[in-house]
Structure formats: C-alpha cells, structure tokens
Amino acid sequence: DGIMDSFGMGDAGYTVTVTPAEVAGAARGDMVTVSISVPYGAETGLLQMGMFPTPENLTSSITMAREGP
C-alpha cells in the first residue's frame, strides 16, 4: 500500500491479488504471481482521452519463482 500511496493512488480502489495466497507456504522454485488492477477513472489521475476507448480497469501481473530456503 505504501508504494501506491507514494504515487498518489492510495484511495484509487485498486486490488492486489497474490497467487498462491500464502506465499510462505510455497516451495523454493514455485511460481508466485502478483496482479494489480486499478479502475481507469479520473480519480486515479490517469490520462483520459475521449477519442480513444478506455478499459474499465488497468491490470498488470508479474510471475516469479520463489527463492530462499
């Protein structure tokens, strides 16, 4: 939440999903995915251009292998 706050998006209605939900239970080498979805609206401060269709949400994901013991 601190990172989103630092970009002025703390109250933008974003959601964060981590899979698996309990990363501590993942074994070394297991894949962990983090997805963030932000509503595309004026309250987020994201640029809106009327001539282009805009999505309802902007979503991004990253998947990495769990490291460590």
Side-chain angles (χ1 to χ4, degrees):
D1 290 338
I3 292 174
M4 296 300 272
D5 287 338
S6 69
F7 284 95
M9 298 181 75
D11 56 356
Y14 65 89
T15 58
V16 177
T17 306
V18 179
T19 307
E22 188 58 49
V23 176
R28 184 177 187 184
D30 284 354
M31 302 309 280
V32 176
T33 301
V34 177
S35 298
I36 299 176
S37 182
V38 179
Y40 195 99
E43 66 278 357
T44 63
L46 299 172
L47 178 65
Q48 291 184 330
M49 299 179 73
M51 67 181 114
F52 298 109
T54 56
E56 186 174 325
N57 294 296
L58 297 176
T59 303
S60 186
S61 298
I62 187 164
T63 301
M64 299 177 282
R66 184 181 190 286
E67 298 180 358

